[in-house]
Amino acid sequence: MKAMNTMDGDIDDAVRILRRGGLVAFPTETVYGLGADAANVDALRRLYAVKGRPWSHPVIVHLATGSPAALAPWAQAFTPAARALADACWPGPVTLVVRRAGGVPAEVTGGSDTVAIRVPDQPVAEELLIRFGGGIAAPSANRFGRVSPTTAGHVRADLDTDVDIILDGGPCRVGLESTVVDCTEHDPLILREGALAREEVEAILGRPVPLRTDGSRAAPGTLDAHYAPSTRVVLVTDDEIGSRAARLVADGQRVGVLTQHPNAVLPGGVEVLDAPGNIDELAHELYGLLRDADDRHLDVLLAVPPAPVGIGAAVADRLSRAACPPALERAP
Ligand code: TXA
Ligand code: MG
């Protein structure tokens, strides 16, 4: 395995590795992806094995452009809503779920008749996709259920020698995954909140776009419990953070707090994670802060979710999934 600040030759190496069925970790503007040739079933199988991901969880196909020619091997003709979002947002942090073309491997689609597609907005990813020329299937480059990586160092810590090359593009610009929009029906639906705020999706389409809250449309791979550090995460309000921390400390627990408004008087020994007050910055830092909680060997992290407005909705979503005990995982 090689890891480095990406240079030209590294991208050529990565393309060769993809062509022979290997796994390439690469930066995107959202999080690092673990890439495999989306047309190579053996490579896809290895991808699932390394991630420890169930077969039923489909993966996103990353493309260099959203032109009709580039899309043709993967998707049927886009609905008007899908086309409007692709034109307005790509390259960028929105993933469109659309009807798949014939011949897309079931390992990509989870066996469904839909496929998720995204054109990332990151120079290393773009160059890799252009030189490779095909679709790169890429989930986030972390083990299943764990915190997504936003630096090459996170990828190395999680996957180490299980990945054939790590392209280092520095810290990801956004730091949270793409927004997933189901465009298979006439009325689009948000399957996963993410880097592109729901308000922006609605402004582009000129109508309300609901968040999927029930089983009305398949959203395989969206579990209640996800994105979790080893530290137990508990959601609290700013008003109760001091008393909750005091009780846990009295119980002998190692406690940390994550809040944008650290006003409470806290008992000695409580570790205050440095949560930025600006919501874009918090989105950018969130996964690093969750990893930080583990590095500090905290037993409990008391976290105050931000208001669910703009990208704050995705931050609040990830915190609530991090706080969901695995025992409550909902089967897809
Ligand atoms: O920002 C991102 O989206 C990152 C970067 C690497 O592009 N990728 C990412 O992939 O977050 P992953 O595999 O961790 O999450 C993909 C999400 C899952 O919630 C999955 O269920 C959904 O997309 N998805 C993929 N294909 C789908 C399909 N055909 N139908 C419904 N949901 C799908
Ligand atoms: Mg993921």
Side-chain angles (χ1 to χ4, degrees), residues 38 41 44 48 55-59 100 103-112:
V41 170
L44 292 164
Y48 276 82
W55 286 105
S56 55
H57 289 219
V59 289
R100 68 167 171 81
V104 180
E107 285 76 4
V108 165
T109 64
S112 79

Side-chain angles (χ1 to χ4, degrees), residues 116-129:
I117 296 177
R118 142 168 151 80
V119 178
D121 181 18
Q122 206 284 350
V124 174
E126 189 184 347
E127 197 55 37
L128 177 70
L129 286 160

Side-chain angles (χ1 to χ4, degrees), residues 31 51 53 139-143 145-146 148 177 192 226-227:
V31 300
K51 268 222 53 131
R53 183 175 175 127
S140 48
N142 52 285
R143 307 264 183 215
R146 310 306 303 185
S148 300
E177 295 85 351
R192 177 178 72 182
H226 215 129
Y227 312 98

Side-chain angles (χ1 to χ4, degrees), residues 210-244:
L211 177 65
R212 175 192 182 276
T213 50
D214 57 26
S216 59
R217 251 183 266 177
T222 46
L223 299 176
D224 288 344
H226 215 129
Y227 312 98
S230 306
T231 301
R232 184 160 70 92
V233 178
V234 177
L235 301 187
V236 296
T237 64
D238 275 310
D239 288 342
E240 62 187 355
I241 203 165
S243 57
R244 296 288 292 265

Side-chain angles (χ1 to χ4, degrees), residues 198-211:
R198 176 168 156 195
E199 293 89 331
E200 293 178 53
V201 174
E202 294 182 329
I204 291 161
L205 296 179
R207 57 176 148 151
V209 181
L211 177 65

Side-chain angles (χ1 to χ4, degrees), residues 62-318:
H62 297 69
L63 297 175
T65 82
S67 70
L71 289 168
W74 305 100
Q76 295 178 22
F78 274 22
T79 59
R83 187 32 65 197
L85 286 171
D87 288 346
C89 303
W90 283 351
V94 68
T95 295
L96 302 179
V97 174
V98 296
R99 300 257 166 231
R100 68 167 171 81
V104 180
E107 285 76 4
V108 165
T109 64
S112 79
D113 60 357
T114 64
V115 64
I117 296 177
R118 142 168 151 80
V119 178
D121 181 18
Q122 206 284 350
V124 174
E126 189 184 347
E127 197 55 37
L128 177 70
L129 286 160
I130 289 171
R131 293 192 203 175
F132 179 60
I136 299 180
S140 48
N142 52 285
R143 307 264 183 215
F144 182 64
R146 310 306 303 185
V147 177
S148 300
T150 54
T151 68
H154 294 166
V155 179
R156 211 168 297 129
D158 262 16
L159 301 178
D160 197 26
T161 51
D162 281 347
V163 51
D164 299 309
I165 189 170
I166 300 174
L167 299 177
D168 187 346
C172 298
R173 177 167 56 78
V174 181
L176 274 187
E177 295 85 351
S178 63
T179 303
V180 180
V181 187
D182 180 337
C183 294
T184 54
E185 313 275 330
H186 180 263
D187 294 322
L189 195 61
I190 293 180
L191 300 184
R192 177 178 72 182
E193 292 174 296
L196 185 76
R198 176 168 156 195
E199 293 89 331
E200 293 178 53
V201 174
E202 294 182 329
I204 291 161
L205 296 179
R207 57 176 148 151
V209 181
L211 177 65
R212 175 192 182 276
T213 50
D214 57 26
S216 59
R217 251 183 266 177
T222 46
L223 299 176
D224 288 344
H226 215 129
Y227 312 98
S230 306
T231 301
R232 184 160 70 92
V233 178
V234 177
L235 301 187
V236 296
T237 64
D238 275 310
D239 288 342
E240 62 187 355
I241 203 165
S243 57
R244 296 288 292 265
R247 254 179 287 152
L248 288 161
V249 169
D251 270 359
Q253 305 271 303
R254 246 182 105 76
V255 180
V257 299
L258 192 165
T259 169
Q260 291 184 284
H261 315 101
N263 301 322
V265 179
L266 296 166
V270 171
E271 305 219 12
V272 180
L273 302 194
D274 199 12
N278 175 285
I279 191 62
D280 289 312
E281 286 171 30
L282 178 58
H284 185 257
E285 301 301 322
L286 180 69
Y287 289 148
L289 291 168
L290 293 180
R291 284 170 187 268
D292 203 20
D294 283 350
D295 292 344
R296 296 178 190 225
H297 304 289
L298 299 178
D299 297 309
V300 182
L301 178 65
L302 298 175
V304 181
V309 178
I311 198 169
V315 175
D317 170 78
R318 299 309 187 269

